[in-house]
Amino acid sequence: MRYEDRTDAGRHLARRLQHLRGTDAVVLGLPRGGVPVAYEVARVLGAPMDVLVVRKLGVPWQPELGFGAIGEEGLRVINQDVLRESGLSPIEQEDVERSERAELERRVRRYRADRPPLPLAGRTAVVVDDGLATGATAEAACRVARARGAGEVVLAVPVGAETTVPRLRETADQVFCLQASRHLGSVGAWYRDFSQTSDTEVAALLAEAGHSGSSPDSPRRPERPLTVDEVEVPAGPVRLAARLVVPATAQAVVAFAHGSGSSRHSPRNQHVAAVLNRRSLGTLLLDLLTEDEARDRHNVFDIILLARRLQAVAQWLRRETALPVGYFGASTGAGAALEAAAGDDIRAIVSRGGRPDLARPAALAHVRAPTLLIVGGLDTRVLSLNRLAADWMHCEHRIAVVPGATHLFTEPGALDTVAELACEWFTAHLARPDAAARPIRSA
């Protein structure tokens, strides 16, 4: 069985761990991919959630072979057997640990800010990851949890290598692996969507889980409802297919305008939308053209038509959700979003690899919404067009260049950078009542 994504895997895993509901368990996600899985487990079990930030200390010439692990607060676990067999000198050990300690501290600062970790002394530590290949990181995490005083250590994963699971039972008190495969391949092959989890998502999920460094007796955060609807949005003579997702605590909603040849099923826009949802922002992924209309390439580049549709969508969103509206545009959709926003009460706009130059200069000059134009550093032609369009804009705006990225942001980590930039921009501007009325130029 393949999981839809890490959220789906977490729900399946939570059902297997129902016996822990009502106990003193603490769910610990391994950054980064294990955190969305752990979030679902903690939510279903009604348990507090934290991250377990660990770094394996690998033998330099055989990194998968760990001679120990380090955790927060200077915690250090050493495997003396591996250390003797490897023949590592004290200086070599120090070099490895210094490098890994620097990365661990960076992640701790990013995920926790000033919050202390949840106490584990005497409690059941449920260590969760999105899968087990060699199991080296999971083993290190279990050892660190034990060293922090956990009364019992439970390791739980959706999928893992059949040969790895028995070995980990020597480290953890219990191991739950929903699917142990003799021929695992890559962990990602067991997920339909295995998009990289960003640091921003990890920090957001921690905040949503309600972790505040409180005592074990603090009240647990109730399950947070999420409205997900497949809808049809009226836009003049047509109805547009769309998917509306609105978190219960949403402060605003973002309508996605896709580029030429794309649709609401775009995996790139779905990835960005998922990040926004985790930060309490609603999203509407929709097709601005019907299937018949999309077959005519002229319609795909009819910016005025697309803009009118988008304006109708924004009006519908305000009626349906009573929330401020923002636009996220990709490729030609960015031109349509800026054209539609001219003179309208749109609170913020983000463009990904967009063509803002396709909007009329007069429209660009009348856009009031704070606008972020994200462009790949290697997408030189589109970058030039964005700079030309920005010269017409008088609203608050900025061009963010993602180094080493091309037009579709397919490079490792590039799309995560886009999602983080978009999330920060929308979070900063969408909920601000005066966001659409600040004539500040910032290019």
Side-chain angles (χ1 to χ4, degrees):
M1 180 187 74
R2 293 177 71 195
Y3 302 106
E4 290 296 328
D5 53 20
R6 292 182 178 89
T7 296
D8 179 46
R11 290 168 182 163
H12 280 83
L13 193 58
R15 286 196 285 271
R16 182 65 181 85
L17 300 172
Q18 283 286 356
H19 63 285
L20 295 174
R21 175 181 279 276
T23 68
D24 63 349
V26 178
V27 178
L28 303 169
L30 298 189
R32 290 183 288 239
V35 174
V37 183
Y39 174 80
E40 288 301 317
V41 171
R43 184 181 64 81
V44 173
L45 298 185
M49 172 192 159
D50 201 352
V51 285
L52 186 58
V53 187
V54 299
R55 298 295 294 177
K56 183 182 63 176
L57 302 176
V59 177
W61 53 87
Q62 194 176 351
E64 285 297 333
L65 179 61
F67 67 86
I70 55 174
E72 296 176 62
E73 301 175 337
L75 198 64
R76 186 170 179 263
V77 178
I78 298 297
N79 188 321
Q80 295 294 342
D81 292 336
V82 173
L83 205 56
R84 281 194 299 270
E85 293 174 7
S86 66
L88 273 177
S89 69
I91 293 179
E92 290 172 320
Q93 295 174 43
E94 290 174 7
D95 286 344
V96 173
E97 185 168 347
R98 186 182 306 111
S99 174
E100 296 298 341
R101 179 66 65 183
E103 175 59 17
L104 182 141
E105 290 174 353
R106 183 197 71 80
R107 292 195 178 199
V108 168
R109 287 193 300 272
R110 181 68 181 86
Y111 303 153
R112 293 190 187 283
D114 297 323
R115 298 189 303 259
L118 285 175
L120 298 183
R123 308 180 73 181
T124 299
V126 184
V127 179
V128 177
D129 206 353
D130 55 11
L132 293 174
T134 66
T137 302
E139 180 179 1
C142 290
R143 292 185 184 279
V144 168
R146 184 86 68 191
R148 284 178 55 189
E152 184 179 17
V153 176
V154 175
L155 176 63
V157 293
V159 64
E162 191 177 81
T163 55
T164 301
V165 173
R167 175 171 56 82
L168 288 168
R169 290 196 174 100
E170 300 174 5
T171 306
D173 297 296
Q174 297 184 70
V175 177
F176 296 94
C177 178
L178 300 187
Q179 299 188 81
S181 174
R182 181 175 299 178
H183 306 290
L184 179 71
S186 67
V187 170
W190 292 77
Y191 291 79
R192 290 187 174 86
D193 177 4
F194 198 65
S195 305
Q196 186 177 7
T197 304
S198 67
D199 284 344
T200 296
E201 289 179 83
V202 172
L205 288 172
L206 272 178
E208 288 189 23
H211 169 47
S212 60
S214 56
S215 70
D217 296 326
S218 298
R220 290 168 179 163
R221 182 184 179 92
E223 182 173 335
R224 184 168 179 250
L226 188 76
T227 301
V228 181
D229 290 316
E230 298 295 331
V231 297
E232 289 188 344
V233 182
V238 301
R239 300 184 71 84
L240 306 174
R243 186 172 191 264
L244 177 64
V245 179
V246 183
T249 55
Q251 298 179 342
V253 61
V254 178
F256 281 66
H258 308 292
S260 58
S262 188
S263 73
R264 69 186 186 282
H265 301 299
S266 163
R268 288 175 290 276
N269 284 344
Q270 287 182 349
H271 176 77
V272 175
V275 176
L276 298 184
N277 295 154
R278 289 169 183 160
R279 290 290 293 272
S280 295
L281 291 168
T283 55
L284 182 76
L285 293 166
L286 79 156
D287 300 336
L288 289 174
L289 297 171
T290 65
E291 290 185 8
D292 289 340
E293 290 173 335
R295 294 190 184 99
D296 184 345
R297 293 295 291 174
H298 173 76
N299 290 330
V300 173
F301 292 92
D302 188 341
I303 301 301
I304 300 301
L305 170 65
L306 300 179
R308 287 172 180 164
R309 296 272 173 93
L310 205 50
Q311 287 173 336
V313 167
Q315 292 174 4
W316 180 87
L317 272 175
R318 294 187 192 101
R319 289 196 307 270
E320 292 295 314
T321 67
L323 294 171
V325 176
Y327 288 152
F328 182 97
S331 190
T332 55
L338 287 162
E339 183 77 35
D344 197 3
D345 185 24
I346 297 301
R347 300 300 179 86
I349 302 170
V350 173
S351 161
R352 171 182 64 80
R355 291 290 307 277
D357 57 296
L358 295 178
R360 295 172 301 167
L364 291 173
H366 283 87
V367 173
R368 301 168 64 201
T371 300
L372 177 66
L373 307 173
I374 306 174
V375 189
L378 301 181
D379 195 7
T380 53
R381 177 174 174 270
V382 171
L383 179 56
S384 297
L385 294 172
N386 272 252
R387 285 171 174 158
L388 288 172
D391 286 340
W392 287 95
M393 301 175 70
H394 303 296
C395 61
E396 177 183 354
H397 65 276
R398 181 164 70 90
I399 297 177
V401 179
V402 180
T406 51
H407 184 62
L408 295 179
F409 299 90
T410 54
E411 295 72 24
L415 192 59
D416 287 322
T417 300
V418 171
E420 290 188 28
L421 288 168
C423 198
E424 290 169 1
W425 191 263
F426 283 132
T427 301
H429 294 289
L430 265 177
R432 210 172 61 200
D434 65 335
R438 301 182 66 214
I440 299 173
R441 180 183 175 88
S442 174

